[in-house]
Amino acid sequence: MFKQPSFFLILFIVAGLLSCQSKKEEPQTEISAVPPKIVFVIGDEEYRSEESMPMLAGILRRELEAEISLCYPLDSAGYIDPNRLDNIAGLAALDSADLMVLFTRFRVLPPDQLKHILDYAESGRPMVGFRTATHAFLYPDSSAYTHLNAEWPAKVFGQQWITHHGHFEDGKIPLTAVRPDTTVSHPILKGVSPFQAYSWLYHVDGGDWQLQGDSKPLVFGRALRSGHEAAGRLAQFPLDNPVAWTKTYSGDSGNVSRVFFTTLGHPYDWRNPNMRRLALNGIYWALDLPVTDSLDVAYAAPYLPNNSGFGQKFKQGLKPEDMPIVVGDGQ
């Protein structure tokens, strides 16, 4: 004769079934992502990118455990020399990079060095550009590379060099009021509040000029002083202009690059945490990484930059290993 199962037996069976079900629904352990390889291409003789880019790299190494390569302009003795226009060491690191960060101005690189930058840009991998990357190169008219002077930065980053609103007591007073576009929602804007920048405002949009491609402005600036205003040219060069945007670039590979660009980048801009957050958010977005409120934008090493300016205003007698963040030998 069949007997009813006891209460305790039923309880045991139910508990076992629930245990099996919970094991099935238990999430798989996530495989940790490989830290990104980020290559900074440095070479501007005005805005102390040789100081600001290592500062930014230090934060990224701390926050992402990123593999960093800093490619500096070096003289024949291996010293960092922003005035050396025809040599940036270590660019082969771009061949295996996950992100290129470009902060150069009017460089005239030899073909073997230039090839690493151009090949990277055509690969479909992400790119970030700062300030003078709108005029990253300046080849003579007789060169086969003159298209890099204006056409290339406009296609890749969204605009070429046009003009700015004027220096005015460089480094003594802020010259641009920066405000995020509050009408859009974008991860790059997370945690970015209005601030005042020491960068004088670049003109990139308005009058006879428009941002190119699918550029989407996210942050705007207003010139606090303007030579164009004094000369009555605001119809051509208005006081308000985009200072940061996203776009895409489709290279020869057919792959589409994520691109973030900002025309800010004066050495004193980086002392403001909002500037650092904007740049870091842009880098995370370009790498297709989540932008979180917990991102720590504090310096990883002291940041005490020289003011902007030409000539011998940079810190002299330094080699790559002397910089606050030591990441490779830059060779």
Side-chain angles (χ1 to χ4, degrees):
M1 182 177 179
F2 177 76
K3 294 184 178 180
Q4 292 278 2
S6 71
F7 172 77
F8 292 105
L9 178 59
I10 293 172
L11 189 62
F12 177 78
I13 293 170
V14 170
L17 289 172
L18 289 174
S19 175
C20 291
Q21 182 67 22
S22 66
K23 286 180 181 177
K24 287 181 182 178
E25 294 178 355
E26 194 173 282
Q28 297 292 321
T29 302
E30 292 186 5
I31 300 173
S32 59
V34 176
K37 180 178 180 179
I38 303 174
V39 177
F40 288 81
V41 181
I42 302 164
D44 106 273
E45 70 276 35
E46 185 177 8
Y47 295 110
R48 307 287 81 83
S49 58
E50 72 279 359
E51 295 195 67
S52 62
M53 293 300 96
M55 175 275 297
L56 205 57
I59 298 174
L60 288 165
R61 187 171 68 171
R62 181 190 67 208
E63 296 299 301
L64 285 177
E65 298 183 352
E67 179 184 345
I68 302 291
S69 292
L70 297 169
C71 302
Y72 294 101
L74 301 182
D75 66 16
S76 58
Y79 290 96
I80 298 170
D81 183 359
N83 296 319
R84 179 72 184 264
L85 305 180
D86 61 351
N87 180 45
I88 296 179
L91 291 174
L94 287 169
D95 299 347
S96 58
D98 298 305
L99 175 68
M100 175 174 71
V101 180
L102 188 69
F103 197 155
T104 62
R105 180 185 186 277
F106 289 154
R107 302 291 109 169
V108 192
L109 299 178
D112 61 326
Q113 293 187 11
L114 180 63
K115 185 178 188 302
H116 296 293
I117 296 174
L118 299 185
D119 285 352
Y120 183 95
E122 298 305 310
S123 71
R125 287 170 285 169
M127 292 176 279
V128 168
F130 291 118
R131 197 153 175 84
T132 53
T134 60
H135 42 297
F137 305 108
L138 185 60
Y139 286 90
D141 292 340
S142 58
S143 169
Y145 298 111
T146 54
H147 65 286
L148 300 177
N149 298 350
E151 178 184 342
W152 186 84
K155 287 170 60 178
V156 173
F157 291 120
Q159 195 49 278
Q160 65 178 72
W161 164 245
I162 302 168
T163 186
H164 60 65
H165 283 266
H167 292 234
F168 303 107
E169 301 182 73
D170 178 16
K172 295 181 180 178
I173 56 171
L175 291 173
T176 300
V178 178
R179 67 186 190 283
D181 186 348
T182 57
T183 68
V184 300
S185 177
H186 197 284
I188 288 177
L189 298 180
K190 186 171 288 189
V192 180
S193 299
F195 67 99
Q196 291 193 330
Y198 287 85
S199 293
W200 35 96
L201 184 67
Y202 276 12
H203 180 78
V204 296
D205 194 81
D208 295 331
W209 301 90
Q210 289 79 42
L211 283 174
Q212 298 200 19
D214 59 355
S215 298
K216 295 179 176 60
L218 297 175
V219 184
F220 290 85
R222 182 175 181 82
L224 299 175
R225 293 183 65 178
S226 170
H228 293 300
E229 181 179 34
R233 293 192 293 264
L234 292 186
Q236 293 175 273
F237 309 116
L239 290 176
D240 293 276
N241 242 242
V243 297
W245 57 86
T246 62
K247 72 181 296 291
T248 61
Y249 174 70
S250 297
D252 292 340
S253 68
N255 297 323
V256 179
S257 301
R258 279 190 173 202
V259 178
F260 170 72
F261 195 90
T262 176
T263 58
L264 303 174
H266 187 284
Y268 293 171
D269 289 350
W270 300 100
R271 299 189 300 197
N272 191 302
N274 289 289
M275 175 65 191
R276 301 196 298 276
R277 186 170 297 279
L278 174 65
L280 291 164
N281 286 357
I283 287 172
Y284 273 58
W285 173 84
L287 285 166
D288 201 17
L289 295 174
V291 178
T292 66
D293 292 323
S294 61
L295 175 61
D296 184 0
V297 303
Y299 300 129
Y303 178 63
L304 300 168
N306 285 12
N307 195 9
S308 68
F310 296 105
Q312 302 302 309
K313 293 186 178 181
F314 64 97
K315 290 183 172 71
Q316 299 175 50
L318 296 176
K319 291 189 174 184
E321 59 267 26
D322 299 322
M323 302 308 290
I325 175 174
V326 180
V327 283
D329 59 8
Q331 299 301 317

